[in-house]
Amino acid sequence: MGDHYGKDRRETTSVLIVARVTSSSPELVEAVRRRAVNPCAFTLLVPAETHGLHRVVDPEDHGTEEAQLRLAQALPLLTRAAGAPVRGMIGSHNPLAAVQDALHLHGFDEILLSTLPVHVSRWLHIDLPRKVAALGVPLTTIVATRDETHQHHAA
């Protein structure tokens, strides 16, 4: 028997994972595994893709379709690492707006931002970690060491 103030929802850390291309990276999976040592509820937010011309021709569907594929690939891996179901969300193609929307809708205690290495990362190029950190939620940036992202671009 435990007291009624024991393991309640306040003791579970609500973690927002923000990733697009690196949503299935070993580095992110390992970061989730490490966080899951303590009670956590994870949500993976995948901002919709932007592909220049595709946005003009089909402004909604293409980016969302790729984000759905990324969720489908990443959620089983992250769920296994977390030891509990990981929720998935697709956000705005603007990653900062996507994070802001998620924070307003659900509130999170911590953010894990997963990105490509500095020489290829658009998110690091636009200084996304600093902008997300300015939102006032503790942030950890995870940099993938290799780009495993072009596996379904051949389609």
Side-chain angles (χ1 to χ4, degrees):
M1 295 207 307
D3 66 275
H4 25 353
Y5 297 107
K7 295 257 178 208
D8 66 17
R9 297 178 72 154
R10 295 299 306 152
E11 291 188 36
T12 299
T13 303
S14 180
V15 181
L16 177 64
I17 304 165
V18 184
R20 184 183 284 149
V21 171
T22 60
S23 58
S24 298
S25 73
E27 293 82 4
L28 179 58
V29 170
E30 182 56 31
V32 168
R33 186 175 288 116
R34 284 194 308 266
R35 290 294 182 296
V37 170
N38 298 310
C40 292
F42 294 96
T43 299
L44 172 61
L45 168 64
V46 178
E49 306 277 342
T50 56
H51 292 294
L53 189 57
H54 291 294
R55 279 194 74 223
V56 174
V57 174
D58 192 352
E60 298 299 322
D61 294 337
H62 185 76
T64 301
E65 181 181 306
E66 287 211 19
Q68 290 281 9
L69 281 171
R70 293 200 191 281
L71 281 175
Q73 290 175 339
L75 287 176
L77 296 171
L78 296 175
T79 292
R80 202 170 9 231
V86 174
R87 208 168 75 191
M89 297 172 58
I90 295 175
S92 164
H93 70 277
N94 175 325
L96 183 59
V99 171
Q100 289 171 319
D101 290 347
L103 290 175
H104 285 99
L105 282 171
H106 302 289
F108 289 94
D109 302 313
E110 180 183 357
I111 299 172
L112 299 180
L113 177 70
S114 180
T115 184
L116 290 169
V118 68
H119 61 285
V120 291
S121 172
R122 277 180 273 165
W123 287 5
L124 292 178
H125 180 73
I126 64 168
D127 205 7
L128 185 62
R130 183 186 58 77
K131 293 172 182 173
V132 169
L135 299 174
V137 177
L139 170 72
T140 301
T141 301
I142 298 148
V143 178
T145 55
R146 43 187 189 276
D147 179 359
E148 302 176 18
T149 61
H150 292 78
Q151 54 195 351
H152 67 273
H153 283 265

